């Protein structure tokens, strides 16, 4: 398949704009970690993943599991842009009876593969999905996005052990390494570092990349899936929390705070200007 | 072990092997207790469909959820205390919330675990599982009902909690005609109804015999599905006898007694006495000694029945 990096870059900006608008409209949500993973989501949904939005239950589709469920706005934006549901739905985020819950609900939102939000559970779920794929003789790929703070959850490492034990080589994990969690820098709250060494020690094939460069993201996934070793793959993606909005970048306070109308306007202006570059 | 005694976990292991042949989508997971939960039988018969997840119950529940989301019918087994307590959030979030088709078959429930003591004796698992929306909760009374319940669990689409025991117990019936949500009347009676589940069903039958000697006619209902509760059977029993006893090898907080009392209090108030473990942890001892110590005996059930009848007459 031909990869269109310009399309991915454009979609990453559109996802970021949606994230700001959705969270602004909802009055609550998590902009920082949604913006940090926008490029990874754009690369997955507009290049890497084999999907058919008109047949969301197609058995051989690739799966994406957002283990850091608080980045739901970014996932919803990617799914809407990819055609899983109307873009209109995005403004219902977090509202009563919305199909777009505060954290992903696989029963309510087309294209959402797992109900997540309680951190540390997505990788276990993904191991089950990958095991089922193997039992079915399918070549489908299961992708997971973890937060770096999320790696403090013990269950992540239980799952890491299981994935490696069962040689789940069609499993690709991204760690959105933005360095910040609610109470401060990940290194200060409870450091899970050195992450590369830990994933390697758990038997994974590990790469470390710039998580904002779609070409690098795609290259890392391709090289992971072409690897001859029967190992699961971890891509530690260095990212900036709040990426794309100058006053949110690297600011821990924007982990879980909604922008006001003025801030929405400023953020959208920056993201639009970015597009003209 | 007496000749006609079989542990429900043993029946579970056999049932899995039979069902495995019929349903290729069944897969089984265990957390390093396969020789105790009896999933080792399935592992030997279908090694490609058995996954030992090691001593990591939280992960096991998540993996089971992912398998179910991909069309498999996973049975996840470990001791009840770990399946429901240690992995509660995973059962709630990864299995219950999306209503995934995972069968949690947990053995070594209650104090009849015996000598391992309180750390391994789950007395709150029914309470925990009942609170999860959409979770079916089944506590079979004997080995043959366990086999039927396993089949029913496979045919039911959605999460099921199946509570199994370690100790061999009498086979009460060869055939039950088990249906999810349907209680079975094991004995007729007109003065009081004893509603029981699991090992307490046999104890309650013995209690009914004791009561007969005292001139009290006791009906015995096997309420093997705790959720959804058979409210039709309960209402009929309450109307028929006007007094109930609930008997369970579980805390009196949140189990069968709570479910039955809550329902009847709002729909058809009659006296309900609860026999179970009274807000305390278990301890080491033999299964028989522990049943005696915690008042899970025919005598205790019969005494509660006499009290319930007395309350009725006070009206």
């Amino acid at each position: 398949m031909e990869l269109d990096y310009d399309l991915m870059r454009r979609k990453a900006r559109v996802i970021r704009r949606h994230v700001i608008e959705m969270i602004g409209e909802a009055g609550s949500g998590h902009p920082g970690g949604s913006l940090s993973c926008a490029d990874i989501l754009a690369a997955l949904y507009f290049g890497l993943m084999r999907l058919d939005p008109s047949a969301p239950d197609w058995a051989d589709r690739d799966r994406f599991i957002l283990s850091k469920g608080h980045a739901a706005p970014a996932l919803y934006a990617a799914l809407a842009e990819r055609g899983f549901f109307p873009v209109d739905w995005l403004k219902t985020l977090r509202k009563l009876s919305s199909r777009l819950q505060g954290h992903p609900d696989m029963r309510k939102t087309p294209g959402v593969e797992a109900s997540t939000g309680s951190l540390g559970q997505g990788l276990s779920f993904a191991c089950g999905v990958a095991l089922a794929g193997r039992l079915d003789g399918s070549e489908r790929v299961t992708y997971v996005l973890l937060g770096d703070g999320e790696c403090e959850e013990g269950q992540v490492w239980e799952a890491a052990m299981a994935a490696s034990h069962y040689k789940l080589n069609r499993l690709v994990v991204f760690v959105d390494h933005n360095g910040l969690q609610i109470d401060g820098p990940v290194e200060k709250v409870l450091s899970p570092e050195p992450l590369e060494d830990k994933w390697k020690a758990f038997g994974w094939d590990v790469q470390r990349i710039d998580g904002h460069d779609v070409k690098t993201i795609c290259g890392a996934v391709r090289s992971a899936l072409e690897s001859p070793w029967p190992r699961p793959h971890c891509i530690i993606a260095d990212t900036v929390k709040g990426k794309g909005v100058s006053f949110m970048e690297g600011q821990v306070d924007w982990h879980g705070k909604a922008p006001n109308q003025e801030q929405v306007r400023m953020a959208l202006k920056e993201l639009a200007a970015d597009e003209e570059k | 072990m007496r000749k006609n005694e079989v542990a429900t976990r043993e029946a579970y292991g056999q049932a899995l092997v039979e069902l495995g042949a019929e349903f290729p989508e069944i897969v089984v997971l265990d957390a390093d207790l396969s020789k105790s939960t009896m999933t080792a039988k399935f592992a030997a018969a279908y090694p490609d469909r058995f996954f030992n997840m090691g001593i990591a119950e939280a992960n096991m529940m998540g993996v089971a959820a992912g398998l179910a989301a991909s069309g498999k019918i996973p049975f996840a087994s470990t001791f009840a205390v770990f399946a429901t307590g240690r992995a509660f959030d995973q059962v709630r979030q990864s299995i219950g919330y999306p209503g995934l088709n995972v069968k949690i078959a947990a053995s070594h429930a209650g104090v009849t675990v015996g000598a391992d003591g309180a750390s391994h004796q789950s007395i709150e698992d029914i309470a925990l599982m009942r609170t999860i929306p959409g979770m079916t909760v089944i506590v079979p009374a004997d080995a043959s009902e366990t086999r039927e319940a396993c089949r029913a669990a496979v045919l039911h689409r959605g999460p099921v909690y199946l509570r199994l025991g370690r100790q061999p117990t009498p086979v009460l019936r060869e055939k039950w005609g088990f249906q999810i949500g349907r209680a079975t009347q094991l004995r007729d009676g007109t003065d009081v109804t004893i509603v029981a589940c699991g090992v307490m069903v046999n104890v309650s039958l013995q209690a009914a015999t004791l009561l007969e000697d005292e001139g009290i006619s006791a009906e015995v209902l096997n309420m093997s599905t705790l959720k959804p509760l058979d409210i039709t059977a309960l209402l009929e029993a309450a109307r028929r006898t006007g007094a109930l006893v609930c008997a369970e090898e579980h805390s009196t907080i949140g189990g069968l007694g709570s479910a039955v009392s809550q329902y009847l209090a709002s729909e058809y108030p009659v006296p309900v006495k609860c026999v179970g473990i009274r807000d305390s942890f278990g301890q080491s001892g033999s299964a028989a000694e522990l049943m005696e110590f915690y008042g899970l005996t025919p005598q205790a059930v019969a005494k509660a029945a006499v009290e319930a009848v007395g309350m009725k007459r006070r009206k």
Side-chain angles (χ1 to χ4, degrees), chain A residues 59-101:
Chain A
D60 257 350
R61 71 192 184 278
D62 290 338
R63 266 62 161 187
F64 171 70
I65 288 146
L66 181 67
S67 192
K68 46 170 280 184
H70 54 280
L75 173 60
Y76 297 153
L79 290 170
E81 285 294 324
R82 188 71 172 79
F84 280 89
F85 52 82
V87 171
D88 280 6
W89 288 17
L90 296 179
K91 54 177 178 279
T92 69
L93 174 73
R94 288 179 168 248
K95 293 185 176 158
L96 186 66
S97 303
S98 172
R99 302 192 61 170
L100 307 187
Q101 293 291 296

Side-chain angles (χ1 to χ4, degrees), chain B residues 71-96:
Chain B
K72 305 298 171 197
I73 305 176
F75 277 76
S77 283
T78 177
F79 289 177
V81 74
F82 309 130
T84 63
R86 187 172 190 109
F88 181 77
D89 191 45
Q90 288 72 24
V91 174
R92 177 187 189 274
Q93 309 265 2
S94 286
I95 297 171

Side-chain angles (χ1 to χ4, degrees), chain A residues 48-263:
Chain A
L48 293 167
M49 288 172 72
R50 294 193 316 153
L51 293 166
D52 181 357
S54 67
D57 294 331
W58 172 42
D60 257 350
R61 71 192 184 278
D62 290 338
R63 266 62 161 187
F64 171 70
I65 288 146
L66 181 67
S67 192
K68 46 170 280 184
H70 54 280
L75 173 60
Y76 297 153
L79 290 170
E81 285 294 324
R82 188 71 172 79
F84 280 89
F85 52 82
V87 171
D88 280 6
W89 288 17
L90 296 179
K91 54 177 178 279
T92 69
L93 174 73
R94 288 179 168 248
K95 293 185 176 158
L96 186 66
S97 303
S98 172
R99 302 192 61 170
L100 307 187
Q101 293 291 296
H103 292 82
D105 180 337
M106 62 185 284
R107 296 300 188 200
K108 290 205 167 89
T109 316
V112 168
E113 297 284 2
S115 298
T116 53
S118 175
L119 292 174
Q121 302 200 19
L123 184 53
S124 300
F125 191 98
C127 287
V129 171
L131 270 178
R134 174 178 299 169
L135 285 168
D136 292 343
S138 168
E139 280 293 293
R140 67 193 186 226
V141 183
T142 305
Y143 296 94
V144 183
L145 182 67
L146 294 173
D148 49 0
E150 187 179 11
C151 292
E152 291 159 10
E153 287 281 6
Q155 190 185 346
V156 169
W157 303 102
E158 291 184 8
M161 222 184 317
S164 150
H165 181 85
Y166 284 103
K167 302 183 170 56
L168 300 176
N169 61 342
R170 306 294 286 172
L171 178 63
V172 178
V173 165
F174 287 97
V175 178
D176 183 2
H177 195 255
N178 62 35
L180 294 173
Q181 61 188 110
I182 300 179
D183 276 348
V186 173
E187 290 251 38
K188 288 222 170 110
V189 174
L190 189 81
S191 178
E193 302 291 348
L195 275 173
E196 278 180 75
D197 292 349
K198 284 198 173 76
W199 287 95
K200 276 183 194 153
F202 274 76
W204 289 57
D205 155 44
V206 181
Q207 300 177 66
R208 182 157 196 156
I209 63 162
D210 173 355
H212 294 310
D213 184 328
V214 290
K215 201 170 174 183
T216 307
I217 294 166
C218 293
V221 168
R222 285 208 151 164
S223 103
L225 294 175
E226 282 162 12
S227 151
W229 309 108
R231 289 182 191 145
H233 313 281
C234 177
I235 299 172
I236 297 174
D238 288 318
T239 57
V240 174
K241 198 147 184 164
K243 176 75 176 176
V245 177
S246 61
F247 59 90
M248 290 185 177
E249 287 191 1
Q251 299 299 313
V252 74
D253 286 349
W254 286 102
H255 171 90
K257 187 174 74 173
N260 61 30
Q261 282 186 350
E262 175 59 15
Q263 288 162 333

